[in-house]
Amino acid sequence: MTIDYDKLYLGGHWKSPAGRERIEVRSAATEELLGSVPEAAEADVDEAVAAARRALDDPAGWSRWQPAKRAEALERFAVALEKRAEETARRVTIQNGMPITLAHQFEGGFPPVLLRYFTGLVTGREQEETRPGMLGGSSRVIREPVGVVGAIVPWNVPQAISFLKLAPALAAGCTVVLKPAPETVLDAMLMSEAAAEAGLPEGVLGVVPGGRELGAYLVAHPGVDKVSFTGSTAAGRAIAETCGRLLRPVTLELGGKSAAIVLDDADLASTIESFFAATLLNNGQICWLGTRVLAPRARYGEVVDTITDLARSLKVGDPLADTTQVGPLVSSRQRDRVESYIAKGRGEGARLTAGGGRPAGLDRGWFVEPTVFADVDNGHTIAREEIFGPVLSVIPYSGEDEAIAIANASDYGLGGTVWTSDPGRGEAVARRVASGTIGINAYANDPTAPFGGVKSSGIGRELGPEGLHSYQVFKTIYLDTTRG
Ligand code: NAD
């Protein structure tokens, strides 16, 4: 049975769509039709943005509510999401191939955590302060919601990434129009059901399924005050150009080609699970993965063997099975892309030590074998461009300085890791890597700490108080206290 919707959640209500187009979703693992939803038309975006504007401008509306009252509504949203967590994880897995154990954690589990973290930030801290001034008076400094947010998200971790934006924006008092990616619209509809059940006030959240043209329409919409985007660097550049012209604030979380630096004292075998999570998680479809493995020449053969053994040992298959470590890629287009990079790797002279083809016995679904290239030069295409699949490039280096130079010789700067038996040494190396985030012997995005990139990996930060602040603007009211 397919999962089909005939209405869109626009500004707090389920409405019939303005157009007739539909988006069909296919299973990454079986290629079968999973379901369909109406594709939002520009008129639907207009309606969602207008409702978001009204909610924002209403003097008794969402943005003017006390943070604690918003927190109550968002707690209801969190509870409604928890009720659907199991099904959310399942829908994400069947759509994009994310192994189900990971989907439970990231997609079912993380959104309510994020809602509670950000409502805790706004209710636990004053959103304004009075500062005694230098000119006789004092200043009231207030953090106000930035306004109507246009949020555009990709398909790789669709729910968690949506809530990296929704949780701080809604907690701050913004209203949001969210455009999910066409590949993963079924989980977005389930999230809309949760919002409706929670009784979020009219206009606070609208969901407009559609492709890049609709995304571009939302970005440039006159009723939008801020844009928040996660996806490819190419799309991010186009969005930044529009926002530059409109002087519209924008947060961009884009691609990566992060380095996993294996130091000469690393005991990779003892941290192999963390190494897998930091380099190959979600079938290689995560922006912060360390897909360039930098290996010391002194232990080069051993590091290549360890990573090759890891790739060959991974259980590839049905993403709904608890034991699966690597599922299929999201689409045949994405598999074509990844396979074209594998061909480039071979063509540029890198040495294939694991994978490189399609797994035997999996004739349906968009599977690619976990693949390792050794003897990669940092100038090779596979070391420079984001592949977004289970493909690692091992690059040799001599000495820490060269490792850091190679790590930094990239257009990107999003994630990364250092593998070492000496955490102090690891931190010293991590401090020299040009990257927004980096881990020692593991990688994680903790909700309390800012996440984002430098260089072509993006602008701005999500998570942590910094993530909240990106949905707030400062307003100063000068108080003349010199006259009684
Ligand atoms: P994409 O960036 O084109 O799409 C991501 C989202 O942005 C989707 O919702 C899409 O509809 C929307 N979009 C695309 N162009 C837009 C525009 N000009 N204006 C407004 N919205 C726009 O990604 P893709 O084509 O699905 O994947 C291609 C490559 O992008 C992948 O192979 C991978 O390298 C990279 N990618 C990165 C991330 C990430 O988290 N950084 C996520 C997905 C894809």
Side-chain angles (χ1 to χ4, degrees), residues 152-156 161 179-183 210-212 215-216 219 229-232 235 238-239 253-255 287 333-334 337 386-388:
I152 298 174
V153 294
W155 41 261
N156 56 332
I161 291 177
K179 193 203 78 61
E183 293 85 349
R212 61 186 53 192
V219 167
F229 172 76
T230 299
S232 65
I239 290 168
E253 204 273 279
L254 309 176
C287 47
R333 181 175 74 115
Q334 189 63 19
R337 224 182 113 90
E386 184 172 53
I387 298 176
F388 234 57

Side-chain angles (χ1 to χ4, degrees), residues 15 25 52 75 79 132 135 137 162 166 173 188 194 196 207 210 282 291 304 310 314-316 388 473 475:
K15 302 226 165 123
V25 187
E75 175 59 26
V79 170
L135 306 174
S162 294
L166 288 175
V207 178
N282 198 27
T291 49
V304 170
L310 168 68
L314 294 171
K315 182 142 179 28
V316 183
F388 234 57
V473 281
K475 175 179 215 163

